[in-house]
Amino acid sequence: MDGLAMRFLGHSTVRLEIAGRVVLTDPVLTRTVGGLVRVTPPLDPAAYADVDLVLISHLHGDHLHAPSLRLLGRDVPIVVPRGAGAWMRRRGFSAVAELDIGEQLPFGDLRVTAVPADHSGHRWGPRFTHGPQARANGHVVEAPGVRVYVAGDTDLYPGMAELGPVDVALLPVWGWGPNLGPGHLDPTRAAEAVALVQPRVAVPVHWGTLAVPGLARTPRMRRLLVAPPRTFAAEVADRGLPTTVALTEPGEPVQPHRSPR
């Protein structure tokens, strides 16, 4: 796809090279993330070098991961949901911009728009009322001739169809555990999102990267570390949708015309 190069670094982290800029989504770059472990090979630091802008969809620890952000440098511009800026600045990050739903940030030839997401915005999850909280969102990243929808974590919601059509959609298809909580897409619902958003290319993310120590060896988790994006691709094909699913293993460049394996 002209004007856009992508690399899936694992979980919800994608490196976008667009309009002469490097944008990183929800960076998770380390061997451990809270109580989770990375079950894919460690990332070469070159994979996250020269980042110009970081997009954070929400405050959960597997999306807003301060140790990973520190690897990028405390002065790298970071876009966070409105209400999270002060919390970030207290942790030493100096170039923080906040966006509420519908608000936009121009960045060179890029324009970033915060869009809705149906997901808990609390740092510690939907059952907590005390502590950091900011409404979860997704982003639409636009450059001349290219439009990318970065879903973050979300379930289907009214109005999702208004985001499309787009050139690329980065869509979550699972998570890091044996089950999904509220506010997530599974492979079937992610295929429904494709029907609504109408991307030319869909990149399945939020799979195959993180697990609870010990659980990764169980038969169910071994299957869930590989099956969701393939099930998603099959669902998209079964619906007769014209979208290409670029199934990409964690750490690999995204090939927009790659066939699912």
Side-chain angles (χ1 to χ4, degrees):
M1 189 174 297
D2 294 340
L4 175 66
M6 298 174 283
R7 185 171 182 180
F8 176 40
L9 302 188
H11 205 52
S12 284
T13 309
V14 178
R15 177 187 175 102
L16 304 172
E17 297 182 22
I18 179 172
R21 305 283 187 166
V22 177
V23 179
L24 208 60
T25 67
D26 288 349
V28 169
L29 309 172
T30 57
R31 292 181 60 190
T32 61
V33 179
L36 305 175
V37 295
R38 192 179 192 95
V39 295
T40 55
L43 290 170
D44 183 337
Y48 50 85
D50 304 320
V51 171
D52 297 302
L53 184 67
V54 174
L55 304 182
I56 299 294
S57 62
H58 62 293
L59 301 188
H60 293 172
D62 60 325
H63 292 258
L64 197 173
H65 185 237
S68 291
L69 293 174
R70 292 187 188 106
L71 292 176
L72 305 175
R74 293 178 184 267
D75 58 349
V76 171
I78 303 172
V79 178
V80 299
R82 184 159 299 282
W87 190 83
M88 293 290 292
R89 294 183 190 99
R90 287 197 297 270
R91 280 147 185 83
F93 299 102
S94 60
V96 180
E98 299 178 68
L99 290 183
D100 205 347
I101 304 302
E103 293 183 334
Q104 298 182 337
L105 173 74
F107 193 81
D109 288 336
L110 295 179
R111 181 174 61 185
V112 177
T113 305
V115 298
D118 181 3
H119 193 72
S120 166
H122 195 284
R123 175 69 171 173
W124 314 119
R127 296 182 180 85
F128 288 81
T129 58
H130 299 287
Q133 181 157 328
R135 182 177 175 181
N137 58 33
H139 299 95
V140 171
V141 181
E142 296 176 270
V146 183
R147 220 166 161 260
V148 181
Y149 169 43
V150 184
D153 270 1
T154 188
D155 201 345
L156 300 171
Y157 60 85
M160 182 177 275
E162 297 172 10
L163 301 176
V166 298
D167 294 291
V168 176
L170 310 182
L171 293 174
V173 298
W174 196 252
W176 47 259
N179 300 289
L180 284 176
H184 291 92
L185 294 174
D186 62 14
T188 298
R189 293 175 75 76
E192 293 179 33
V194 167
L196 294 171
V197 178
Q198 304 176 57
R200 291 171 55 196
V201 176
V203 182
V205 300
H206 209 249
W207 68 276
T209 310
L210 302 175
V212 177
L215 281 185
R217 296 190 178 95
T218 65
R220 177 171 171 79
M221 274 310 302
R222 285 202 303 268
R223 180 178 62 81
L224 288 173
L225 286 169
V226 298
R230 292 160 174 84
T231 304
F232 165 67
E235 293 264 3
V236 170
D238 288 346
R239 291 167 184 260
L241 300 173
T243 297
T244 296
V245 175
L247 200 163
T248 308
E249 299 298 328
E252 295 297 318
V254 177
Q255 303 293 338
H257 302 295
R258 176 178 292 172
S259 298
R261 300 186 296 277

